[in-house]
Amino acid sequence: QVRLVESGGGLVQTGGSLRLSCRSSTRISSLRTMAWYRQAPGKEREMVATVTVSGSTNYLNSVKGRFTISRDNTANSVYLQMNALKAEDTAAYYCRVQTLDYSVYWGQGTQVTVSS
């Protein structure tokens, strides 16, 4: 069982920045992938950014150049730095991890609201 605790969401104006954090109860070096997803009201949950155990990253096209995913093995945490935020980035953001045996765990989510 992996427990994930997210933090860092909030209300920000268009063009502002936020940094989301996700702390894992297990060593992240033992995880296959770590990722951030988001879900806006009335929409399906979508992948925002992923980082693999080898450090490879992947991003949703609409956030490329604005968001950066990173991880800190010593803190057992993954981060999402979000810059130049837009109203359409408003959503609940979820941390997701996949273990080496392909089990998937989710955090409880943190709300990001971008006001115009």
Side-chain angles (χ1 to χ4, degrees):
Q1 187 78 12
V2 178
R3 296 189 308 276
L4 303 169
V5 178
E6 300 123 329
S7 61
L11 174 65
V12 64
Q13 290 187 332
T14 300
S17 298
L18 283 173
R19 185 187 191 221
L20 305 183
S21 299
C22 172
R23 183 166 184 173
S24 169
S25 63
T26 190
R27 292 184 301 113
I28 64 171
S29 57
S30 67
L31 299 173
R32 186 176 298 276
T33 62
M34 302 188 76
W36 287 96
Y37 281 66
R38 69 186 181 187
Q39 186 168 20
K43 295 188 177 181
E44 293 187 354
R45 191 171 295 189
E46 61 181 357
M47 185 279 292
V48 176
T50 63
V51 59
T52 69
V53 64
S54 63
S56 298
T57 59
N58 190 32
Y59 294 92
L60 180 69
N61 281 341
S62 62
V63 307
K64 286 181 180 178
R66 299 189 297 122
F67 291 10
T68 302
I69 190 170
S70 62
R71 66 181 192 190
D72 183 344
N73 287 355
T74 59
N76 289 322
S77 296
V78 64
Y79 308 99
L80 186 68
Q81 178 66 43
M82 305 186 293
N83 298 328
L85 283 161
K86 305 175 181 180
E88 51 264 43
D89 295 319
T90 295
Y93 283 72
Y94 298 89
C95 181
R96 174 191 186 274
V97 303
Q98 185 179 57
T99 61
L100 295 178
D101 65 357
Y102 297 97
S103 297
V104 173
Y105 298 90
W106 293 90
Q108 82 285 356
T110 185
Q111 180 66 35
V112 172
T113 303
V114 184
S115 65
S116 57

